[in-house]
């Protein structure tokens, strides 16, 4: 497969061809998140609260898998754009080995640390028991999740978006089908309750990894994952982590944010904790499809950056910014029009529905402007500039929102936490634009030569 199409085709058709398969996959993935929560909510409100409390730990696993995968993606795309296939092979091979190590470590950490983590946010024996039951099964599949995400980013780096789409769709559809069967014990299936939801998720993710392995074997991609290239080299490992660690932190920061906001909201009522959990389930239906465009963009900007096509990098980023903005604008309209109906999908408690409707209307004020920071942060990761991307995420998830949320909650109550979201998005958009413009003016990493290997960025 000739990857030069990434710098030869017109920008708009190129972005659409790379992104639409991922947008479709993310739509189905977000639908799964909502359907999964809908079925869990039928068990009890305590079950839904438990799911909300486990979410930050699940997000941590995804953050490590996706974040380090972004490092692999960016390095592969850069070296392919620079015509250095042997370096791309080493990036893929060493990245896979390191992902295996990450998966094993995360499995032990999450399973052993889950009871203590949940105990920090709830005193309810029912919620604690449900959270542990769900998490122990879900986290048993951690290694499978991490390896699947590594294959996903490797396939995306070479432009195989349809293969990624097929793998993700198969896993998500499997999750959706198995959820009610295993939760409620329909037909020959056992009634497993909240544990069934976790098992359905793990089986779906196992299928996704299986499809990647089959595709890699029977339809080889332009980079090779080989044992001979897996021996870690200092230059390559530094390069992978230089991008992967900031990207991981970018994705892990929402877990820190949710946990901190849960602590603030719990001082008012456990109902607000549930509202926050429901919001994060609903917002995936917007931000995951927007992220589909970002995923399609990353290998394009990485390849063109490696090829020295800075003008195309800017064009690609502008197109993706427009597409993401349209998706988030549609989400704003829906959240303003029918917030109570959306909350009603997950709880029948009138008080919780009313609190959630207020939250959705206020938080959604920042959706459109958030497209700036989401898109430009993704573009910076594609360029291999992990630290500037991390600076944007720190504004969105830590530096601005937490003090604003705490301060406003003390002056106007829990509604102040919801206002902190849109205030933060405005500040983050300004920071993102400034950081992105500055990053593009800095030079690209030097291409490697046999005589003089490049310094790590």
């Amino acid at each position: 497969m000739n990857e030069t199409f990434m710098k030869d085709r017109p920008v708009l058709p190129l972005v659409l061809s790379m992104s639409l398969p991922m947008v479709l996959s993310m739509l189905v993935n977000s639908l799964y998140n909502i359907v999964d929560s809908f079925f869990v909510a039928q068990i009890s409100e305590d079950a839904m609260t438990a799911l909300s409390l486990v979410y930050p730990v699940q997000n941590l696993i995804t953050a490590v898998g996706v974040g380090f995968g972004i490092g692999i993606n960016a390095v592969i795309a850069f070296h392919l754009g620079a015509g250095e296939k042997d370096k791309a092979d080493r990036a893929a091979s060493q990245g896979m080995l390191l992902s295996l190590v990450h998966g094993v470590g995360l499995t032990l950490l999450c399973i052993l640390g889950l009871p203590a983590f949940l105990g920090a946010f709830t005193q309810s024996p029912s919620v604690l028991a449900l959270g542990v039951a769900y998490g122990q099964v879900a986290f048993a599949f951690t290694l499978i999740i991490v390896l699947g995400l590594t294959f996903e980013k490797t396939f995306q780096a070479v432009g195989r978006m349809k293969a990624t789409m097929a793998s993700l769709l198969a896993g998500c559809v499997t999750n959706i089908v198995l959820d009610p069967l295993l939760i409620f014990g329909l037909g020959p299936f056992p009634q497993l309750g909240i544990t069934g939801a976790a098992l359905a998720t793990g089986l779906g993710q196992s299928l996704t990894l299986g499809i990647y392995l089959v595709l890699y074997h029977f339809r080889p991609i332009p980079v090779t994952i080989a044992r001979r290239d897996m021996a870690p080299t200092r230059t390559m490992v530094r390069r992978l982590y230089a991008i992967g660690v900031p990207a991981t932190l970018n994705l892990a920061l929402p877990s820190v944010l949710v946990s901190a906001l849960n602590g603030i909201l719990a001082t008012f009522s456990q109902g607000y904790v549930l509202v926050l959990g429901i919001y994060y389930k609903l917002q995936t239906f917007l931000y995951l499809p927007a992220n589909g465009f970002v995923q399609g963009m990353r290998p394009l900007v990485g390849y063109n950056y490696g090829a020295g096509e800075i003008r195309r990098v800017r064009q690609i980023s502008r197109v993706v910014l427009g597409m993401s903005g349209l998706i988030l604008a549609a989400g704003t309209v829906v959240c303003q029009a029918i917030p109570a109906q959306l909350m009603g999908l997950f709880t029948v408690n009138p008080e919780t529905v009313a609190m959630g409707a207020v939250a959705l209307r206020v938080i959604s004020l920042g959706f459109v402007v958030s497209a700036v920071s989401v898109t430009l942060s993704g573009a910076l990761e594609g360029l291999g500039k992990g630290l500037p991307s991390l600076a944007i995420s720190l504004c969105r998830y830590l530096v601005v929102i937490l003090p604003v949320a705490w301060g406003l909650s003390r002056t106007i109550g829990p509604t102040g936490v919801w206002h902190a979201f849109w205030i933060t998005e405005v500040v983050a958009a300004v920071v993102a634009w400034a950081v992105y413009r500055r990053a593009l003016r800095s030079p690209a990493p030097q291409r490697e030569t046999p005589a003089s290997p490049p310094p790590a960025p």
Side-chain angles (χ1 to χ4, degrees):
M1 181 179 178
N2 185 1
E3 290 76 38
T4 59
F5 75 91
M6 293 191 193
K7 70 181 180 69
D8 295 335
R9 290 185 61 186
V11 169
L12 180 58
L14 176 62
V15 169
L16 292 176
S17 67
M18 291 284 284
S19 300
L20 287 182
M22 296 314 306
V23 171
L24 177 60
S25 300
M26 293 299 99
L27 276 171
V28 176
N29 195 16
S30 59
L31 177 63
Y32 156 69
N33 284 327
I34 292 176
V35 170
D36 182 60
S37 299
F38 173 79
F39 286 128
V40 170
Q42 308 309 305
I43 301 172
S44 68
E45 195 163 277
D46 279 353
M48 187 62 199
T49 302
L51 201 65
S52 300
L53 292 176
V54 173
Y55 167 79
V57 186
Q58 290 180 293
N59 188 67
L60 173 64
I61 293 170
T62 302
V64 173
V66 174
F68 190 68
I70 288 171
I72 298 170
N73 179 292
V75 176
I76 290 174
F78 178 85
H79 284 305
L80 289 177
E84 300 166 341
K85 183 184 181 303
D86 56 332
K87 310 300 189 299
D89 289 344
R90 288 208 287 272
S93 301
Q94 294 179 35
M96 188 63 67
L97 176 64
L98 293 170
S99 293
L100 178 65
V101 175
H102 299 160
V104 173
L106 282 170
T107 300
L108 298 174
L109 175 67
C110 293
I111 291 178
L112 296 177
L114 181 61
F117 176 82
L118 294 175
F121 299 100
T122 182
Q123 301 301 316
S124 168
S126 173
V127 172
L128 184 61
L130 288 166
V132 170
Y134 178 87
Q136 287 182 337
V137 175
F139 300 154
F141 292 90
T142 298
L143 178 59
I144 290 172
I145 296 169
V146 171
L147 293 180
L149 291 170
T150 303
F151 269 108
E152 173 187 310
K153 298 307 173 190
T154 302
F155 273 72
Q156 289 174 359
V158 299
R160 291 286 183 86
M161 297 306 191
K162 290 182 180 179
T164 302
M165 177 184 69
S167 301
L168 289 174
L169 286 178
C172 289
V173 171
T174 300
N175 290 346
I176 292 171
V177 172
L178 289 179
D179 255 338
L181 299 178
L182 293 175
I183 291 173
F184 305 116
L186 303 180
F189 294 89
Q191 183 177 352
L192 300 177
I194 197 169
T195 304
L199 182 59
T201 300
L203 292 175
Q205 290 160 336
S206 300
L207 178 61
T208 294
L209 175 59
I211 292 174
Y212 279 126
L213 292 171
V214 171
L215 290 175
Y216 178 79
H217 181 74
F218 291 103
R219 298 189 63 186
I221 57 177
V223 294
T224 303
I225 300 171
R227 184 178 301 176
R228 66 177 181 276
D229 291 324
M230 283 187 176
T233 59
R234 184 177 179 182
T235 299
M236 185 58 70
V237 170
R238 287 174 58 193
R239 186 84 180 273
L240 290 171
Y241 278 115
I243 304 169
V245 169
T248 297
L249 293 175
N250 282 346
L251 295 163
L253 284 174
S255 296
V256 178
L257 173 62
V258 171
S259 297
L261 293 182
N262 280 340
I264 295 173
L265 293 169
T267 62
F268 296 98
S269 164
Q270 194 76 21
Y272 287 108
V273 174
L274 176 59
V275 166
L276 183 66
I278 293 174
Y279 160 70
Y280 270 99
K281 291 294 181 181
L282 288 171
Q283 60 100 33
T284 61
F285 203 71
L286 299 175
Y287 282 99
L288 281 181
N291 183 256
F293 280 105
V294 173
Q295 291 192 46
M297 171 184 66
R298 282 195 192 103
L300 295 178
V301 298
Y303 188 97
N304 282 277
Y305 193 52
E309 299 283 347
I310 303 300
R311 182 178 178 184
R312 278 178 66 85
V313 169
R314 292 193 176 96
Q315 291 174 332
I316 291 165
S317 299
R318 285 196 295 268
V319 169
V320 172
L321 176 59
M323 298 295 181
S324 299
L326 288 175
I327 291 174
L328 293 167
T332 303
V333 172
V334 173
C335 288
Q336 293 293 324
I338 54 169
Q341 290 87 332
L342 293 174
M343 294 299 301
L345 293 172
F346 305 99
T347 178
V348 295
N349 186 323
E351 184 179 355
T352 305
V353 169
M355 292 189 300
V358 172
L360 287 182
R361 282 203 170 104
V362 174
I363 295 174
S364 63
L365 296 175
F367 281 173
V368 174
V369 71
S370 72
V372 177
S373 54
V374 169
T375 302
L376 297 186
S377 181
L380 289 166
E381 289 169 347
L383 295 172
K385 297 182 179 294
L387 289 178
S389 177
L390 177 60
I392 298 170
S393 292
L394 284 171
C395 288
R396 292 188 72 206
Y397 297 117
L398 193 65
V399 175
V400 178
I401 191 169
L402 287 182
V404 172
W406 184 86
L408 290 179
S409 72
R410 292 297 178 269
T411 55
I412 62 176
T415 304
V417 174
W418 314 139
H419 282 286
F421 278 85
W422 69 262
I423 292 171
T424 299
E425 294 298 359
V426 172
V427 175
V430 174
V431 172
W433 187 254
V435 169
Y436 174 74
R437 285 173 61 87
R438 181 176 180 179
L440 272 188
R441 289 196 294 267
S442 64
Q446 296 179 1
R447 300 180 184 183
E448 296 187 20
T449 63
S452 178

